[in-house]
Each structure stands twice: as C-alpha cells, then as structure tokens.
Amino acid sequence: MVKSKTFQEYLTPDCHRTYSCVHCRAHLAGHAALVSKSFQGSQGRAYLFDDVVNIDSGSPEERILLTGRHAVSDIFCKCCGTTLGWKYERAYETSQKYKEGKFIIELIHMVKDNGWS
C-alpha cells in the first residue's frame, strides 16, 4: 500500500486574516467564515465557522452537548492529524438547526496568522 502525499490547501491571498493549525500552521479558515466566538469545546473556548479547509472528518455520532443532543463528526487537521473540534451534522432541537453543516475549532488548536493587529 502506497501512502499518498497530503496537499495543503491555501486560502486566497486576499484573505488577510486567517486561522491556522497551531501544530503545523496549515490554513483552517479565513476570518470571513467566522460565525461566533461564543462556543465551548471539550478543552475550553472554541469558535464556530461556516467553512474550513485542510480537514478530514470522522464518522458521525450522537453526543449530548451543552446545548442538547447533536450528531457530530470529529474533525482532524489533514496535514498533521491533530483533532481540532467537530462538525455539526444534525441538530435535533429547532433552536439549534443553524449549527448544521458548521464547524467548531477549539482555540487551543489554532492560531491567528496574517494581518492581525
């Protein structure tokens, strides 16, 4: 079995403020994809994003989170394999439906790059 090389996706040059993996500096999201900074992960504060790059995801599983029951998939950095957070696959409560298809990345696993003051 031959292991294929992982190619890193880079955010466009006009994306001046980016969030990157703290372990390998792979781009994860641009500031424009940030939905909320008011989330809690298993290891502390976390951000909710509309769209992310350079991630792989695990199989969906049901979990009871602070806001109720959700189907989520763990997400991993495609470049270094670090578990970053999770993707909301399904929310069972109507008030939580806005999270479906969005991504949680814990602050402990990301760093701000490019153009932050």
Side-chain angles (χ1 to χ4, degrees):
M1 181 170 147
V2 176
K3 184 175 179 178
S4 62
K5 181 176 169 106
T6 300
F7 290 96
Q8 184 175 342
E9 185 174 339
Y10 293 94
L11 296 171
T12 60
D14 63 334
C15 186
H16 298 292
R17 299 191 311 178
T18 60
Y19 297 93
S20 301
C21 176
V22 73
H23 307 285
C24 71
R25 298 289 196 192
H27 286 177
L28 297 174
H31 188 65
L34 179 64
V35 175
S36 176
K37 296 180 178 182
S38 301
F39 278 78
Q40 187 70 25
S42 60
Q43 299 180 33
R45 291 185 54 217
Y47 289 178
L48 181 70
F49 291 94
D50 266 330
D51 192 32
V52 296
V53 296
N54 295 316
I55 62 116
D56 286 323
S57 60
S59 300
E61 58 183 51
E62 289 192 11
R63 293 187 193 155
I64 304 297
L65 303 174
L66 294 174
T67 55
R69 185 168 64 115
H70 299 273
V72 299
S73 299
D74 286 335
I75 60 171
F76 311 92
C77 177
K78 188 181 280 187
C79 299
C80 70
T82 299
T83 301
L84 301 168
W86 61 86
K87 177 182 181 183
Y88 286 102
E89 301 289 351
R90 182 171 179 206
Y92 294 97
E93 296 179 27
T94 305
S95 66
Q96 301 300 307
K97 291 284 187 188
Y98 75 96
K99 296 177 183 175
E100 290 182 345
K102 293 181 173 52
F103 302 85
I104 287 287
I105 300 178
E106 295 178 311
L107 292 181
I108 196 169
H109 298 299
M110 69 178 170
V111 64
K112 295 176 180 178
D113 277 333
N114 305 328
W116 295 92
S117 33

